[in-house]
Amino acid sequence: MITDAHVKQMKRRLKIFHDGEDDHIESLLEDSFHDLSERCGFDDLSDVRAKELVFERTRYAYNDSLEFFHENFLSMITVMAIKYLDVSDNENI
């Protein structure tokens, strides 16, 4: 799911101009994607807001501040979770 283009975009955001941390950044992006896709329900980064959340979580993880991410982005995470809510499971209630 995470492409080389995503890694390059994240490096630009973090102002990293060398390739030595590419694997680490890719790993952080993948972890962020999996965490947020489970919480919110999206399955790709075609949604601009989903991509933004993944990039922001990656930024927090890269800067060893991940414990602050969910609190700081709770409203955006909630909006995304509602947007991708699968209501078909609750139709028979």
Side-chain angles (χ1 to χ4, degrees):
M1 176 50 33
I2 299 302
T3 66
D4 288 338
H6 294 127
V7 174
K8 288 178 184 179
Q9 289 173 355
M10 193 70 227
K11 285 172 58 177
R12 278 195 305 271
R13 275 186 111 137
L14 296 171
K15 296 178 177 51
I16 296 173
F17 304 107
H18 56 83
D19 297 333
E21 294 187 72
D22 285 11
D23 291 340
H24 178 62
I25 292 169
E26 182 176 7
S27 175
L28 292 175
L29 282 164
E30 288 174 358
D31 292 346
S32 294
F33 174 79
H34 290 297
D35 176 67
L36 290 164
S37 67
E38 284 182 12
R39 290 174 191 270
C40 300
F42 56 81
D43 55 6
D44 62 40
L45 294 180
S46 61
D47 184 308
V48 174
R49 289 187 179 213
K51 182 177 167 183
E52 181 70 21
L53 270 177
V54 169
F55 277 36
E56 287 299 325
R57 187 187 182 282
T58 301
R59 182 175 63 86
Y60 274 67
Y62 182 82
N63 289 305
D64 293 324
S65 299
L66 194 53
E67 64 271 16
F68 301 110
F69 171 76
H70 290 98
E71 181 180 335
N72 291 344
F73 286 88
L74 181 60
S75 63
M76 195 170 174
I77 292 168
T78 303
V79 167
M80 292 299 291
I82 291 169
K83 179 178 179 176
Y84 287 96
L85 181 66
D86 184 7
V87 293
S88 64
D89 292 339
N90 299 322
E91 288 178 357
N92 296 326
I93 296 177

